[in-house]
Amino acid sequence: EAGVVQSPRYKIIEKKQPVAFWCNPISGHNTLYWYRQNLGQGPELLIRYENEEAVDDSQLPKDRFSAERLKGVDSTLKIQPAELGDSAVYLCASSFGQLNTEAFFGQGTRLTVV
Amino acid sequence: AQSVTQLDSQVPVFEEAPVELRCNYSSSVSVYLFWYVQYPNQGLQLLLKYLSGSTLVKGINGFEAEFNKSQTSFHLRKPSVHISDTAEYFCAVTWGGATNKLIFGTGTLLAVQP
């Protein structure tokens, strides 16, 4: 069974440019999460979806970040425009049911803003 | 605010020696506890979880953890480590309720030396 798939694995962009990350969760998982992991830190939740509805986006910087999960399956996270401080690993995870079940993580996208 | 503390940023240990990685959290009310491992350039993989029941939880790769409600701790242990256990280990907690947000500690690098 395929795990959580993210692309691209690595992305280098200049500041002020837009960037997008894509995530395909495990088949049948209704809950999808986007996390940001800064160097030397633990992951921090950006947004959580239950099917196509964003149920927790309190940590998403909405002035420049946006996300969508139109059909309740795969998801896209966008940053526009990117800033130097956005350099981090962006992790996608999915789970079936409530959060206290196991969340499966993708390999992440490492973003470098120069 | 709810928080997770991993006091040790790095734990060096010799191969075949025992190890304990410490984790403390801020409140025991409706708490669910997890340990994840992250190998270089990889996503997070669940080692074990405590949802309810026995306070001693066994996970994959010979790891175990004990939920201690009075000390608000969930320390991870392994009686004999291998070189292949070298990785970053994250403690994570979710508290029941409307937000159901998974909060991670800052991680502990387990460095196993021959």
Side-chain angles (χ1 to χ4, degrees):
Chain A
E1 178 184 345
V4 177
V5 179
Q6 291 186 248
S7 67
R9 287 294 313 279
Y10 305 93
K11 189 73 175 180
I12 301 174
I13 62 170
E14 294 183 343
K15 61 182 180 181
K16 300 184 182 180
Q17 294 302 306
V19 65
F21 315 124
W22 176 80
C23 172
N24 190 283
I26 292 174
S27 177
H29 282 192
N30 58 319
T31 304
L32 183 145
Y33 320 83
W34 282 104
Y35 285 86
R36 177 169 59 189
Q37 186 177 18
N38 292 312
L39 187 64
Q41 300 294 317
E44 295 180 327
L45 182 68
L46 292 174
I47 189 169
R48 175 167 67 98
Y49 282 93
E50 295 290 344
N51 300 304
E52 65 275 10
E53 181 183 1
V55 296
D56 184 355
D57 63 356
S58 57
Q59 301 298 314
L60 189 73
K62 298 181 182 65
D63 57 335
R64 297 183 299 107
F65 286 66
S66 64
E68 60 182 15
R69 193 185 185 199
L70 293 176
K71 295 182 179 180
V73 181
D74 55 351
S75 176
T76 303
L77 178 68
K78 298 179 182 178
I79 308 175
Q80 183 172 9
E83 298 178 352
L84 295 177
D86 295 331
S87 295
V89 176
Y90 291 82
L91 294 164
C92 180
S94 70
S95 67
F96 178 75
Q98 297 181 7
L99 186 59
N100 56 14
T101 60
E102 179 178 356
F104 293 82
F105 284 80
Q107 292 184 306
T109 296
R110 182 177 298 275
L111 174 67
T112 302
V113 182
V114 299
Chain B
Q2 295 158 335
S3 63
V4 181
T5 302
Q6 292 182 249
L7 287 175
D8 305 307
S9 60
Q10 185 169 350
V11 173
V13 63
F14 287 107
E15 194 173 17
E16 298 184 4
V19 70
E20 179 178 83
L21 306 183
R22 298 181 293 169
C23 173
N24 289 88
Y25 52 93
S26 56
S27 169
S28 290
V29 178
S30 299
V31 67
Y32 306 103
L33 300 148
F34 307 80
W35 274 99
Y36 282 85
V37 59
Q38 187 176 35
Y39 298 101
N41 297 316
Q42 299 293 317
L44 283 79
Q45 179 184 6
L46 183 70
L47 276 178
L48 48 80
K49 61 184 177 183
Y50 171 80
L51 303 181
S52 65
S54 173
T55 57
L56 183 63
V57 180
K58 295 188 181 298
I60 62 172
N61 301 340
F63 285 92
E64 65 179 30
E66 186 162 15
F67 171 54
N68 189 318
K69 186 175 182 178
S70 62
Q71 297 187 2
T72 61
S73 68
F74 190 56
H75 300 332
L76 181 71
R77 295 190 289 261
K78 187 171 183 178
S80 175
V81 296
H82 302 125
I83 294 288
S84 60
D85 292 324
T86 296
E88 191 86 23
Y89 291 80
F90 292 94
C91 179
V93 184
T94 181
W95 286 268
T99 60
N100 252 353
K101 182 180 296 184
L102 188 63
I103 297 178
F104 285 85
T106 52
T108 298
L109 174 62
L110 176 62
V112 182
Q113 305 164 14

